[in-house]
Amino acid sequence: VLIQGSYREGGLFELAWVKSERGGRIDFWNFDPNILYRQTFWTLVIGGFINYSFTYGINQAQIQRALSAKTLRDAQLAYWLNIPGCIAFILLPGLVGILLYARYQFCDPIVSGRIAKRDQLVPLYVMDVLSEDLPGFPGLFVAMLFSGSLSTISSTLNGLGAVITRDFVQPLYFDRFR
């Protein structure tokens, strides 16, 4: 989506980025401490710190992954190796958002009635832009979305099953026979 969209919008950093800056969508240097603004430097730094403290500090799935490492050093290495993927996980959707803004800045698909909610914007973009040059790509895109969501759900259910078995079933049935 990012590569083909950049090609179709005239380049990510040439045209799409400039359109987003002119439209007021990119403002890295807003140091206003007012918490009512949607995105300032402070809300992103403080909010990002709180979000990732939760994600890597007390999230059951992350703790289970860390505890499955053989040594503390291996767990720490796994967390450090996760940083580039985490940065990409933040940057890539933001860059796709810049392409979406460049495409739909003068014709809001919600106002025009093409979509009902904002979370339908990326699939609309895939249908509008990528289906023309890459037939079959929208189907592949939907398959990737389902694959990713099912993978996440199965991992979460697996972790939940392990926690329930270890914390509730084992003390009730197995510990009393010792």
Side-chain angles (χ1 to χ4, degrees):
V1 172
L2 188 63
I3 292 169
Q4 188 67 18
S6 296
Y7 174 73
R8 291 295 300 261
E9 300 307 324
L12 178 64
F13 294 107
E14 289 120 24
L15 229 80
W17 190 277
V18 170
K19 286 179 183 179
S20 297
E21 277 184 327
R22 286 184 188 151
R25 300 294 180 174
I26 298 175
D27 185 13
F28 288 117
W29 311 116
N30 184 358
F31 291 99
D32 191 344
N34 187 351
I35 61 171
L36 298 178
Y37 287 124
R38 183 173 182 196
Q39 293 178 341
T40 67
F41 177 82
W42 301 113
T43 57
L44 292 174
V45 168
I46 294 169
F49 176 77
I50 292 170
N51 181 39
Y52 284 100
S53 295
F54 165 76
T55 300
Y56 290 104
I58 59 174
N59 186 336
Q60 182 269 329
Q62 291 292 344
I63 298 300
Q64 185 178 358
R65 289 180 185 131
L67 291 175
S68 67
K70 292 181 182 179
T71 65
L72 175 63
R73 175 100 172 109
D74 289 344
Q76 290 170 338
L77 180 63
Y79 277 115
W80 282 110
L81 291 175
N82 191 341
I83 290 174
C86 184
I87 291 170
F89 189 71
I90 294 169
L91 284 179
L92 292 177
L95 294 175
V96 170
I98 289 171
L99 292 174
L100 293 174
Y101 179 76
R103 173 81 174 189
Y104 300 115
Q105 67 179 331
F106 298 118
C107 178
D108 188 349
I110 296 174
V111 174
S112 67
R114 294 184 68 198
I115 59 174
K117 296 183 283 183
R118 286 187 208 167
D119 61 357
Q120 298 170 337
L121 196 55
V122 174
L124 175 68
Y125 187 77
V126 168
M127 291 302 296
D128 280 352
V129 174
L130 302 180
S131 63
E132 296 172 10
D133 295 335
L134 302 167
F137 189 82
L140 181 63
F141 180 78
V142 171
M144 290 187 304
L145 287 177
F146 279 113
S147 176
S149 63
L150 289 175
S151 171
T152 302
I153 290 170
S154 69
S155 298
T156 303
L157 289 176
N158 183 36
L160 184 61
V163 167
I164 288 173
T165 302
R166 177 77 173 147
D167 292 347
F168 297 109
V169 175
Q170 186 178 5
L172 286 175
Y173 293 104
F174 298 109
D175 288 347
R176 70 178 170 174
F177 294 115
R178 288 185 189 180

PDB file of all heavy atoms in Angstrom, residues 76-97:
ATOM      1  N   GLN A  76      16.182  -9.768  27.571  1.00  0.00           N
ATOM      2  CA  GLN A  76      16.559  -8.384  27.289  1.00  0.00           C
ATOM      3  C   GLN A  76      16.921  -8.208  25.820  1.00  0.00           C
ATOM      4  O   GLN A  76      16.540  -7.217  25.192  1.00  0.00           O
ATOM      5  CB  GLN A  76      17.736  -7.982  28.176  1.00  0.00           C
ATOM      6  CG  GLN A  76      17.371  -7.848  29.636  1.00  0.00           C
ATOM      7  CD  GLN A  76      18.593  -7.676  30.522  1.00  0.00           C
ATOM      8  OE1 GLN A  76      19.709  -8.040  30.157  1.00  0.00           O
ATOM      9  NE2 GLN A  76      18.370  -7.121  31.717  1.00  0.00           N
ATOM     10  N   LEU A  77      17.637  -9.168  25.264  1.00  0.00           N
ATOM     11  CA  LEU A  77      18.008  -9.102  23.851  1.00  0.00           C
ATOM     12  C   LEU A  77      16.763  -9.126  22.966  1.00  0.00           C
ATOM     13  O   LEU A  77      16.682  -8.378  21.982  1.00  0.00           O
ATOM     14  CB  LEU A  77      18.935 -10.266  23.492  1.00  0.00           C
ATOM     15  CG  LEU A  77      19.412 -10.324  22.050  1.00  0.00           C
ATOM     16  CD1 LEU A  77      20.257  -9.103  21.719  1.00  0.00           C
ATOM     17  CD2 LEU A  77      20.200 -11.604  21.813  1.00  0.00           C
ATOM     18  N   ALA A  78      15.791  -9.935  23.343  1.00  0.00           N
ATOM     19  CA  ALA A  78      14.550  -9.994  22.568  1.00  0.00           C
ATOM     20  C   ALA A  78      13.840  -8.645  22.581  1.00  0.00           C
ATOM     21  O   ALA A  78      13.313  -8.198  21.555  1.00  0.00           O
ATOM     22  CB  ALA A  78      13.639 -11.083  23.116  1.00  0.00           C
ATOM     23  N   TYR A  79      13.821  -7.991  23.729  1.00  0.00           N
ATOM     24  CA  TYR A  79      13.196  -6.672  23.797  1.00  0.00           C
ATOM     25  C   TYR A  79      13.963  -5.650  22.952  1.00  0.00           C
ATOM     26  O   TYR A  79      13.365  -4.830  22.262  1.00  0.00           O
ATOM     27  CB  TYR A  79      13.099  -6.179  25.242  1.00  0.00           C
ATOM     28  CG  TYR A  79      11.890  -6.713  25.968  1.00  0.00           C
ATOM     29  CD1 TYR A  79      12.022  -7.562  27.055  1.00  0.00           C
ATOM     30  CD2 TYR A  79      10.613  -6.363  25.570  1.00  0.00           C
ATOM     31  CE1 TYR A  79      10.919  -8.048  27.720  1.00  0.00           C
ATOM     32  CE2 TYR A  79       9.499  -6.838  26.229  1.00  0.00           C
ATOM     33  CZ  TYR A  79       9.649  -7.676  27.300  1.00  0.00           C
ATOM     34  OH  TYR A  79       8.557  -8.155  27.952  1.00  0.00           O
ATOM     35  N   TRP A  80      15.290  -5.680  23.006  1.00  0.00           N
ATOM     36  CA  TRP A  80      16.082  -4.731  22.207  1.00  0.00           C
ATOM     37  C   TRP A  80      15.909  -4.985  20.712  1.00  0.00           C
ATOM     38  O   TRP A  80      15.870  -4.049  19.915  1.00  0.00           O
ATOM     39  CB  TRP A  80      17.562  -4.802  22.589  1.00  0.00           C
ATOM     40  CG  TRP A  80      17.867  -4.080  23.854  1.00  0.00           C
ATOM     41  CD1 TRP A  80      18.213  -4.637  25.055  1.00  0.00           C
ATOM     42  CD2 TRP A  80      17.845  -2.672  24.070  1.00  0.00           C
ATOM     43  NE1 TRP A  80      18.388  -3.654  25.991  1.00  0.00           N
ATOM     44  CE2 TRP A  80      18.174  -2.437  25.419  1.00  0.00           C
ATOM     45  CE3 TRP A  80      17.565  -1.575  23.258  1.00  0.00           C
ATOM     46  CZ2 TRP A  80      18.243  -1.171  25.970  1.00  0.00           C
ATOM     47  CZ3 TRP A  80      17.632  -0.303  23.808  1.00  0.00           C
ATOM     48  CH2 TRP A  80      17.970  -0.118  25.142  1.00  0.00           C
ATOM     49  N   LEU A  81      15.819  -6.256  20.331  1.00  0.00           N
ATOM     50  CA  LEU A  81      15.631  -6.573  18.914  1.00  0.00           C
ATOM     51  C   LEU A  81      14.228  -6.214  18.426  1.00  0.00           C
ATOM     52  O   LEU A  81      14.002  -6.071  17.230  1.00  0.00           O
ATOM     53  CB  LEU A  81      15.909  -8.055  18.661  1.00  0.00           C
ATOM     54  CG  LEU A  81      17.366  -8.486  18.815  1.00  0.00           C
ATOM     55  CD1 LEU A  81      17.504  -9.992  18.671  1.00  0.00           C
ATOM     56  CD2 LEU A  81      18.252  -7.769  17.802  1.00  0.00           C
ATOM     57  N   ASN A  82      13.311  -6.037  19.338  1.00  0.00           N
ATOM     58  CA  ASN A  82      11.946  -5.665  18.999  1.00  0.00           C
ATOM     59  C   ASN A  82      11.824  -4.180  18.665  1.00  0.00           C
ATOM     60  O   ASN A  82      10.859  -3.768  18.019  1.00  0.00           O
ATOM     61  CB  ASN A  82      11.030  -6.014  20.175  1.00  0.00           C
ATOM     62  CG  ASN A  82       9.573  -5.912  19.834  1.00  0.00           C
ATOM     63  OD1 ASN A  82       9.175  -5.275  18.874  1.00  0.00           O
ATOM     64  ND2 ASN A  82       8.765  -6.547  20.639  1.00  0.00           N
ATOM     65  N   ILE A  83      12.769  -3.370  19.067  1.00  0.00           N
ATOM     66  CA  ILE A  83      12.679  -1.919  18.874  1.00  0.00           C
ATOM     67  C   ILE A  83      12.545  -1.514  17.401  1.00  0.00           C
ATOM     68  O   ILE A  83      11.668  -0.711  17.075  1.00  0.00           O
ATOM     69  CB  ILE A  83      13.862  -1.200  19.560  1.00  0.00           C
ATOM     70  CG1 ILE A  83      13.695  -1.294  21.079  1.00  0.00           C
ATOM     71  CG2 ILE A  83      13.967   0.256  19.122  1.00  0.00           C
ATOM     72  CD1 ILE A  83      14.855  -0.751  21.870  1.00  0.00           C
ATOM     73  N   PRO A  84      13.346  -2.042  16.469  1.00  0.00           N
ATOM     74  CA  PRO A  84      13.145  -1.631  15.065  1.00  0.00           C
ATOM     75  C   PRO A  84      11.758  -1.984  14.537  1.00  0.00           C
ATOM     76  O   PRO A  84      11.146  -1.186  13.819  1.00  0.00           O
ATOM     77  CB  PRO A  84      14.232  -2.396  14.301  1.00  0.00           C
ATOM     78  CG  PRO A  84      15.261  -2.711  15.316  1.00  0.00           C
ATOM     79  CD  PRO A  84      14.544  -2.885  16.616  1.00  0.00           C
ATOM     80  N   GLY A  85      11.242  -3.138  14.898  1.00  0.00           N
ATOM     81  CA  GLY A  85       9.896  -3.503  14.466  1.00  0.00           C
ATOM     82  C   GLY A  85       8.850  -2.589  15.071  1.00  0.00           C
ATOM     83  O   GLY A  85       7.870  -2.227  14.411  1.00  0.00           O
ATOM     84  N   CYS A  86       9.063  -2.202  16.312  1.00  0.00           N
ATOM     85  CA  CYS A  86       8.131  -1.295  16.986  1.00  0.00           C
ATOM     86  C   CYS A  86       8.147   0.079  16.315  1.00  0.00           C
ATOM     87  O   CYS A  86       7.086   0.682  16.102  1.00  0.00           O
ATOM     88  CB  CYS A  86       8.510  -1.189  18.453  1.00  0.00           C
ATOM     89  SG  CYS A  86       7.387  -0.205  19.427  1.00  0.00           S
ATOM     90  N   ILE A  87       9.311   0.554  15.955  1.00  0.00           N
ATOM     91  CA  ILE A  87       9.412   1.846  15.260  1.00  0.00           C
ATOM     92  C   ILE A  87       8.715   1.765  13.904  1.00  0.00           C
ATOM     93  O   ILE A  87       7.970   2.673  13.522  1.00  0.00           O
ATOM     94  CB  ILE A  87      10.889   2.269  15.123  1.00  0.00           C
ATOM     95  CG1 ILE A  87      11.453   2.620  16.502  1.00  0.00           C
ATOM     96  CG2 ILE A  87      11.041   3.435  14.156  1.00  0.00           C
ATOM     97  CD1 ILE A  87      12.948   2.829  16.537  1.00  0.00           C
ATOM     98  N   ALA A  88       8.928   0.670  13.181  1.00  0.00           N
ATOM     99  CA  ALA A  88       8.253   0.496  11.894  1.00  0.00           C
ATOM    100  C   ALA A  88       6.746   0.407  12.085  1.00  0.00           C
ATOM    101  O   ALA A  88       5.973   0.937  11.277  1.00  0.00           O
ATOM    102  CB  ALA A  88       8.771  -0.761  11.197  1.00  0.00           C
ATOM    103  N   PHE A  89       6.315  -0.222  13.165  1.00  0.00           N
ATOM    104  CA  PHE A  89       4.889  -0.376  13.462  1.00  0.00           C
ATOM    105  C   PHE A  89       4.236   0.980  13.715  1.00  0.00           C
ATOM    106  O   PHE A  89       3.040   1.157  13.488  1.00  0.00           O
ATOM    107  CB  PHE A  89       4.728  -1.282  14.680  1.00  0.00           C
ATOM    108  CG  PHE A  89       3.318  -1.697  14.966  1.00  0.00           C
ATOM    109  CD1 PHE A  89       2.668  -2.588  14.141  1.00  0.00           C
ATOM    110  CD2 PHE A  89       2.653  -1.192  16.072  1.00  0.00           C
ATOM    111  CE1 PHE A  89       1.366  -2.972  14.400  1.00  0.00           C
ATOM    112  CE2 PHE A  89       1.350  -1.569  16.340  1.00  0.00           C
ATOM    113  CZ  PHE A  89       0.707  -2.463  15.499  1.00  0.00           C
ATOM    114  N   ILE A  90       5.009   1.954  14.167  1.00  0.00           N
ATOM    115  CA  ILE A  90       4.490   3.302  14.390  1.00  0.00           C
ATOM    116  C   ILE A  90       4.586   4.140  13.108  1.00  0.00           C
ATOM    117  O   ILE A  90       3.654   4.848  12.741  1.00  0.00           O
ATOM    118  CB  ILE A  90       5.263   3.999  15.528  1.00  0.00           C
ATOM    119  CG1 ILE A  90       4.992   3.285  16.843  1.00  0.00           C
ATOM    120  CG2 ILE A  90       4.900   5.472  15.627  1.00  0.00           C
ATOM    121  CD1 ILE A  90       5.899   3.717  17.966  1.00  0.00           C
ATOM    122  N   LEU A  91       5.720   4.051  12.414  1.00  0.00           N
ATOM    123  CA  LEU A  91       5.960   4.909  11.248  1.00  0.00           C
ATOM    124  C   LEU A  91       5.130   4.533  10.026  1.00  0.00           C
ATOM    125  O   LEU A  91       4.598   5.420   9.352  1.00  0.00           O
ATOM    126  CB  LEU A  91       7.436   4.877  10.869  1.00  0.00           C
ATOM    127  CG  LEU A  91       8.382   5.674  11.749  1.00  0.00           C
ATOM    128  CD1 LEU A  91       9.811   5.519  11.266  1.00  0.00           C
ATOM    129  CD2 LEU A  91       7.995   7.133  11.780  1.00  0.00           C
ATOM    130  N   LEU A  92       5.039   3.260   9.715  1.00  0.00           N
ATOM    131  CA  LEU A  92       4.386   2.858   8.469  1.00  0.00           C
ATOM    132  C   LEU A  92       2.914   3.267   8.400  1.00  0.00           C
ATOM    133  O   LEU A  92       2.491   3.832   7.383  1.00  0.00           O
ATOM    134  CB  LEU A  92       4.563   1.355   8.236  1.00  0.00           C
ATOM    135  CG  LEU A  92       6.005   0.931   7.946  1.00  0.00           C
ATOM    136  CD1 LEU A  92       6.105  -0.569   7.789  1.00  0.00           C
ATOM    137  CD2 LEU A  92       6.541   1.631   6.718  1.00  0.00           C
ATOM    138  N   PRO A  93       2.109   3.033   9.425  1.00  0.00           N
ATOM    139  CA  PRO A  93       0.728   3.528   9.331  1.00  0.00           C
ATOM    140  C   PRO A  93       0.647   5.053   9.249  1.00  0.00           C
ATOM    141  O   PRO A  93      -0.242   5.592   8.584  1.00  0.00           O
ATOM    142  CB  PRO A  93       0.065   3.031  10.618  1.00  0.00           C
ATOM    143  CG  PRO A  93       0.899   1.879  11.053  1.00  0.00           C
ATOM    144  CD  PRO A  93       2.285   2.193  10.614  1.00  0.00           C
ATOM    145  N   GLY A  94       1.569   5.747   9.900  1.00  0.00           N
ATOM    146  CA  GLY A  94       1.592   7.201   9.791  1.00  0.00           C
ATOM    147  C   GLY A  94       1.879   7.657   8.378  1.00  0.00           C
ATOM    148  O   GLY A  94       1.256   8.608   7.877  1.00  0.00           O
ATOM    149  N   LEU A  95       2.792   6.978   7.710  1.00  0.00           N
ATOM    150  CA  LEU A  95       3.109   7.323   6.319  1.00  0.00           C
ATOM    151  C   LEU A  95       1.936   7.002   5.400  1.00  0.00           C
ATOM    152  O   LEU A  95       1.651   7.753   4.464  1.00  0.00           O
ATOM    153  CB  LEU A  95       4.375   6.590   5.877  1.00  0.00           C
ATOM    154  CG  LEU A  95       5.658   7.015   6.600  1.00  0.00           C
ATOM    155  CD1 LEU A  95       6.827   6.135   6.182  1.00  0.00           C
ATOM    156  CD2 LEU A  95       5.965   8.480   6.379  1.00  0.00           C
ATOM    157  N   VAL A  96       1.247   5.898   5.666  1.00  0.00           N
ATOM    158  CA  VAL A  96       0.048   5.589   4.885  1.00  0.00           C
ATOM    159  C   VAL A  96      -1.012   6.662   5.124  1.00  0.00           C
ATOM    160  O   VAL A  96      -1.721   7.065   4.199  1.00  0.00           O
ATOM    161  CB  VAL A  96      -0.485   4.173   5.225  1.00  0.00           C
ATOM    162  CG1 VAL A  96      -1.853   3.938   4.608  1.00  0.00           C
ATOM    163  CG2 VAL A  96       0.486   3.112   4.741  1.00  0.00           C
ATOM    164  N   GLY A  97      -1.123   7.156   6.342  1.00  0.00           N
ATOM    165  CA  GLY A  97      -2.057   8.240   6.636  1.00  0.00           C
ATOM    166  C   GLY A  97      -1.749   9.496   5.844  1.00  0.00           C
ATOM    167  O   GLY A  97      -2.661  10.212   5.412  1.00  0.00           O
TER     168      GLY A  97
END
